Amino acid sequence: MPNIREIIKKQKAFYKSVVSVFCPLLNDTIYFTGEGFNHLLGDNPRKRRDINEQYLKLMCLSHAPTIAKNSVRIVEVRKGERFVKHKKKSTVTYELVDGKKRRDNIAVVVERIGTGKLKFRSVKKIRDNRYNNKKAPFGA
């Protein structure tokens, strides 16, 4: 397995090259900000994610722009609040999938704070029936 520092450097360069993509499903542009990349590694530099989790997220990252552009389903919408610059703001988080057949599906997580821009928040591998294009059986 390559050195995690090399992977971070390579994926950071890729991430910076993306800037934004249009998501027809949300009818809006998703911006790939530094905040999103930092969230993949762990928001707090003193409390990083586990190395294996960082590796997994970074390996999925190259699929994120394509999934965002070609997403066919919003699998989860979460509404909440968080403090931004000492003010409580409402947030809406969407998990998007593109419906492609892969061994492991990948979901892209995007967030809107208040009335701001949609921003890439994270990417994750998922192994759950509700993420597939077909409807899951009742009670699954």
Side-chain angles (χ1 to χ4, degrees):
M1 184 167 86
N3 183 324
I4 191 72
R5 287 190 183 109
E6 292 171 19
I7 295 168
I8 291 171
K9 186 177 177 181
K10 179 182 171 199
Q11 292 300 78
K12 191 171 194 172
F14 165 76
Y15 187 85
K16 284 184 174 185
S17 74
V18 176
V19 182
S20 67
V21 297
F22 183 76
C23 176
L25 184 63
L26 296 174
N27 196 28
D28 206 347
T29 301
I30 298 170
Y31 293 89
F32 287 71
T33 64
E35 185 181 337
F37 190 82
N38 290 337
H39 183 75
L40 293 176
L41 303 177
D43 288 322
N44 185 341
R46 288 177 279 155
K47 195 175 180 182
R48 292 281 193 201
R49 292 184 192 273
D50 176 71
I51 294 292
N52 293 327
E53 191 175 351
Q54 285 183 28
Y55 177 80
L56 187 62
K57 288 187 177 294
L58 290 168
M59 292 296 95
C60 293
L61 182 59
S62 57
H63 298 288
T66 306
I67 292 170
K69 277 190 264 190
N70 301 323
S71 57
V72 295
R73 177 180 270 187
I74 300 170
V75 289
E76 188 173 347
V77 177
R78 291 186 302 268
K79 294 184 179 189
E81 294 179 331
R82 74 171 151 124
F83 283 93
V84 178
K85 297 182 182 176
H86 307 292
K87 292 183 181 177
K88 193 183 273 191
K89 300 271 188 169
S90 63
T91 62
V92 180
T93 306
Y94 303 94
E95 276 188 33
L96 311 171
V97 292
D98 66 357
K100 297 275 192 232
K101 299 291 182 198
R102 294 187 191 91
R103 191 171 64 93
D104 294 309
N105 280 328
I106 299 172
V108 171
V109 181
V110 296
E111 179 181 55
R112 183 186 313 272
I113 300 173
T115 58
K117 299 175 181 178
L118 269 177
K119 295 180 185 177
F120 169 84
R121 188 74 177 147
S122 190
V123 64
K124 61 184 185 178
K125 271 194 173 184
I126 45 177
R127 294 182 184 108
D128 189 333
N129 282 340
R130 68 191 171 116
Y131 291 91
N132 295 333
N133 252 352
K134 296 176 184 173
K135 288 190 173 187
F138 182 76

